[in-house]
């Protein structure tokens, strides 16, 4: 039977939680009066309520989750267990639980819930706040195809969504979760290079940000391998190839590959520690 979602609870309406509320409303998954949000402080609750027209309160996770068809856990990872403890009794196994907590395996959330129910682990990144997020989603085997489509619809409203097996989440964290930080460094360095060569701060910033945005858009819209697009910018003996020679000399590509390998391994060891800790 098709799910009828009468209420969605977003527990922890901070950066991620609020962006997801925006996605839920935009995708038409629920109307503002069907969304209940919680926060730690009354100030944040008032902000969220004013911005999205949803009910929001400081605390009250249990009341928010009661009767909700979808429960989104968007507090910091260290608070997930406490929040689940608060809401456990009002869950009956029919709700969909979506956790966005970084590094928190589905198994840990399942153990805390203490019952079989559809559990999703979403790994978004910070550009969800401007609806350009990259989110990977994994589900447990209690989730139906219909549940998966519903969750994808929510997340798609704040950017691009890919479905993955949970084992891929450490690599996802290294690539798209942390990725904005690497790209900010690239933009920062392009600005610095422009400044060194005499451009004004304003001009260098505008050109650097749009170059990154435009290059990414071209990769998406042409579907061409980036190496093909790069070659199209090069003219023999020209300016671009002289810069590329420098980038190759300093190992830009090898550096990024190593960074992702290190970050993935770091995330894997955190995942293992989290699983071990939850067994005890
Ligand atoms: N930011 C990212 O790039 C990113 C990427 C992937 C995943 N995530 C995950 O998203 C989750 C949220 O991160 P965030 O960046 O959105 O953090 P955040 O802005 O600090 O949001 C956390 C929210 O939880 C609220 N809160 C704290 N204790 C609570 C409680 N007991 N009950 C209800 N609400 C409570 C806080 O309220 P107050 O505002 O009143 O303190 C805050 O609004 C984390 O688990 C993180 O791992 C974040």
């Amino acid at each position: 039977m098709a799910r009828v979602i009468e209420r969605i609870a977003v527990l922890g309406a901070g950066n991620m939680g609020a962006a997801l509320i925006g996605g839920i409303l935009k995708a038409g998954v629920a109307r503002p009066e069907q969304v209940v949000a919680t926060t730690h402080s009354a100030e944040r609750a008032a902000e969220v309520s004013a911005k999205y027209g949803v009910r929001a309160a400081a605390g009250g996770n249990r009341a928010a989750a009661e009767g909700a068809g979808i429960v989104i856990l968007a507090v910091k990872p260290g608070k997930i267990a406490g929040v689940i403890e608060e809401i456990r009794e009002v869950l009956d196994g029919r709700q969909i639980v979506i956790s966005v907590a970084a590094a928190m395996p589905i198994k840990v959330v399942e153990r805390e819930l203490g019952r079989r129910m559809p559990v999703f682990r979403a790994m978004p990144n910070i550009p969800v706040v401007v609806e350009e997020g990259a989110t990977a989603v994994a589900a447990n085997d209690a989730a139906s195809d219909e549940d998966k489509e519903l969750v994808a619809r929510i997340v798609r409203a704040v950017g691009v969504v890919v479905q993955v097996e949970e084992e891929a989440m450490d690599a996802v964290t290294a690539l798209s979760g942390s990725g904005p930080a690497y790209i900010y460094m690239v933009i920062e360095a392009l600005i610095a290079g422009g400044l060194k060569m005499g451009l004004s701060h304003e001009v260098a910033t505008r050109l650097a940000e749009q170059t990154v945005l435009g290059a990414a858009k071209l990769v998406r819209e042409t579907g061409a391998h980036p190496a093909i697009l790069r070659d199209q910018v090069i003219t023999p003996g020209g300016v671009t190839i002289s810069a590329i020679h420098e980038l190759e000399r300093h190992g830009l590509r090898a550096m990024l590959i190593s960074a992702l390998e290190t970050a993935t391994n770091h995330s894997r060891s955190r995942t293992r520690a989290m699983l071990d800790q939850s067994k005890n």
Side-chain angles (χ1 to χ4, degrees), residues 11-17 38-41 44 61 74-77 79 83 86 100-102 123-126:
L11 311 182
N15 285 314
M16 278 301 153
T38 63
T39 60
H40 177 67
S41 65
R44 178 65 186 164
N61 291 314
V75 291
K76 293 282 188 195
K79 292 196 164 181
V83 168
E86 269 182 71
V100 298
M123 182 64 205
N125 64 5
I126 199 65

Side-chain angles (χ1 to χ4, degrees), residues 39-61:
T39 60
H40 177 67
S41 65
E43 292 77 12
R44 178 65 186 164
E47 250 176 61
V48 171
S49 183
K51 181 163 181 193
Y52 298 100
V54 302
R55 268 178 294 159
N61 291 314

Side-chain angles (χ1 to χ4, degrees), residues 5 24 69 73-74 79 93 117 124 154 175 200 205 210 236 241 271 276:
I5 303 298
I24 288 163
L73 302 171
K79 292 196 164 181
M117 60 193 299
I154 294 173
L175 173 53
S200 71
T205 303
Q210 183 59 28
I241 192 65
T271 302
D276 289 347

Side-chain angles (χ1 to χ4, degrees), residues 131-263:
E131 298 178 3
E132 287 292 353
T135 304
V137 178
N140 69 355
D141 59 11
S144 67
D145 288 345
E146 189 204 343
D147 296 340
K148 289 178 188 169
E149 187 38 48
L150 184 59
V151 172
R153 235 176 98 204
I154 294 173
V155 184
R156 208 177 287 129
V158 288
V160 167
V161 57
V162 294
Q163 315 270 357
V164 297
E165 293 299 325
E166 199 184 10
E167 296 75 56
M169 279 298 185
D170 297 304
V172 164
T173 304
L175 173 53
S176 54
S178 305
Y182 322 149
I183 302 304
Y184 297 139
M185 289 174 77
V186 169
I187 296 174
E188 183 193 348
L190 290 174
I191 294 170
L195 287 174
K196 185 167 187 199
M197 293 301 113
L199 299 180
S200 71
H201 198 276
E202 197 194 339
V203 167
T205 303
R206 200 20 89 82
L207 294 178
E209 76 197 15
Q210 183 59 28
T211 300
V212 171
L213 200 64
K217 199 166 175 188
L218 210 50
V219 172
R220 170 162 318 153
E221 290 191 3
T222 60
H225 192 283
I228 304 281
L229 296 171
R230 182 200 60 200
D231 279 355
Q232 287 170 359
V233 185
I234 294 174
T235 45
V239 171
T240 308
I241 192 65
S242 67
I244 285 175
H245 185 195
E246 283 301 309
L247 295 174
E248 294 290 23
R249 198 205 308 272
H250 295 286
L252 176 74
R253 284 183 300 162
M255 216 155 45
L256 286 171
I257 294 166
S258 295
L260 255 69
E261 189 176 34
T262 302

